[in-house]
């Protein structure tokens, strides 16, 4: 099982490396969005605005990055029926999507901090919250992508199904990061961090429950 999951992750990595247009497009979208934000605000924003803009940019970047998860599998789906279990496929997708989005988030944070200023003091707490936020966003959009993959209007279904799922993740992640920027210690927001982790676990569990039905439907 572990070997097949690793092979599926390697396959996604090779496909993305060979088809460099999606990666280039996401990086261009990310850089242009941050630069447009910088030009609009001239780099002088409050901590509240800095935090809100960062998560808005990350949200829309994650939609573009993760929405393609299952679109590229359209011609391979029947082939997978004879090779892998649905649980192996979705676990590989979840791992790859999380790592992919977290790398994008780090790149975004670096560029954003250079252009918009860096109010971060507690890096460890902010990165922990960022990890949990990326885990929730990547899991939610992977689950929604697997469902929308079977419909004719994929982009519409992504928006309709994804919005209610990511709301609790966004509320908790934005609230936590604002408190961290405001000087809160990790122990002071421990409850919110555990809640965000619980929401991530629920989304991942739902993904494992729903995916076998949508994959072979």
């Amino acid at each position: 099982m572990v070997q097949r999951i690793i092979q599926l992750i390697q396959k996604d990595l090779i496909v993305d490396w060979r088809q460099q247009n999606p990666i280039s497009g996401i990086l261009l979208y990310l850089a242009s969005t941050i630069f447009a934000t910088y030009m609009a605000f001239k780099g002088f924003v409050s901590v509240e605005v800095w935090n809100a803009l960062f998560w808005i940019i990350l949200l829309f970047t994650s939609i573009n990055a993760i929405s393609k998860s299952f679109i590229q599998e359209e011609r391979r789906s029947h082939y997978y029926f004879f090779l892998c279990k649905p649980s192996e496929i979705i676990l590989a997708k979840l791992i790859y999507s999380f790592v992919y989005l977290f790398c994008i988030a780090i790149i975004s944070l670096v560029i954003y901090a250079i252009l918009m200023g860096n109010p971060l003091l507690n890096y460890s707490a902010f990165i922990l919250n960022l990890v949990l936020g990326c885990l929730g966003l990547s899991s939610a959009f992977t689950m929604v992508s697997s469902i929308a993959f079977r419909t004719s209007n994929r982009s519409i279904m992504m928006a309709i199904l994804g919005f209610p799922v990511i709301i609790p993740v966004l509320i908790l992640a934005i609230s936590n990061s604002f408190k961290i920027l405001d000087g809160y210690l990790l122990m002071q927001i421990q409850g919110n961090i555990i809640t965000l982790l619980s929401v991530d676990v629920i989304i991942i569990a739902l993904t494992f429950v729903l995916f076998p039905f949508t994959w072979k439907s």
Side-chain angles (χ1 to χ4, degrees):
M1 177 180 178
V2 176
Q3 184 64 29
R4 285 195 293 269
I5 291 173
I6 294 174
Q7 289 174 347
L8 288 169
I9 294 173
Q10 290 175 340
K11 181 269 302 175
D12 283 337
L13 181 61
I14 292 172
V15 170
D16 281 343
W17 180 256
R18 289 178 177 176
Q19 300 175 357
Q20 294 185 4
N21 289 337
I23 298 177
S24 302
I26 290 170
L27 293 177
L28 178 61
Y29 174 84
L30 181 64
S32 60
T33 304
I34 295 175
F35 185 72
T37 303
Y38 166 74
M39 294 299 295
F41 291 93
K42 300 300 181 182
F44 297 100
V45 294
S46 63
V47 173
E48 296 91 339
V49 176
W50 190 97
N51 182 54
L53 289 174
F54 174 76
W55 282 100
I56 290 172
I57 292 171
L58 184 59
L59 170 63
F60 286 101
T61 305
S62 65
I63 294 174
N64 292 326
I66 309 301
S67 61
K68 65 176 181 60
S69 294
F70 285 91
I71 295 177
Q72 62 188 16
E73 307 295 354
E74 188 168 7
R75 298 180 180 178
R76 305 187 186 98
S77 58
H78 296 292
Y79 180 63
Y80 285 150
F81 291 164
F82 302 98
L83 295 179
C84 306
K85 298 178 181 178
S87 59
E88 297 170 348
I89 297 172
I90 193 60
L91 182 56
K93 287 290 183 183
L94 287 171
I95 294 173
Y96 183 78
S97 297
F98 165 69
V99 175
Y100 189 42
L101 182 58
F102 183 68
C103 291
I104 291 174
I106 293 299
I107 295 173
S108 174
L109 180 61
V110 171
I111 300 174
Y112 191 71
I114 292 173
L115 293 180
M116 302 295 291
N118 183 16
L120 286 175
L121 297 175
N122 192 343
Y123 283 90
S124 58
F126 189 87
I127 294 298
L128 175 60
N129 182 65
L130 184 61
V131 167
L132 295 178
C134 288
L135 179 61
L137 291 175
S138 62
S139 302
F141 285 126
T142 300
M143 178 182 68
V144 172
S145 177
S146 68
I147 298 173
F149 164 68
R150 295 298 184 181
T151 64
S152 56
N153 298 317
R154 294 169 183 167
S155 58
I156 297 176
M157 291 301 296
M158 281 287 295
I160 294 174
L161 297 176
F163 184 73
V165 178
I166 63 172
I167 286 298
V169 176
L170 279 178
I171 291 176
L172 290 168
I174 293 174
S175 175
N176 290 344
S177 60
F178 174 68
K179 290 180 179 179
I180 293 169
L181 291 170
D182 201 33
Y184 281 64
L185 299 176
L186 186 60
M187 294 299 296
Q188 295 175 288
I189 60 170
Q190 185 177 4
N192 286 354
I193 292 292
I194 294 175
T195 303
L196 179 55
L197 177 60
S198 302
V199 172
D200 293 348
V201 171
I202 291 172
I203 294 174
I204 294 172
L206 285 174
T207 305
F208 275 95
V209 170
L210 295 175
F211 181 72
F213 298 100
T214 59
W215 181 245
K216 292 191 176 182
S217 62

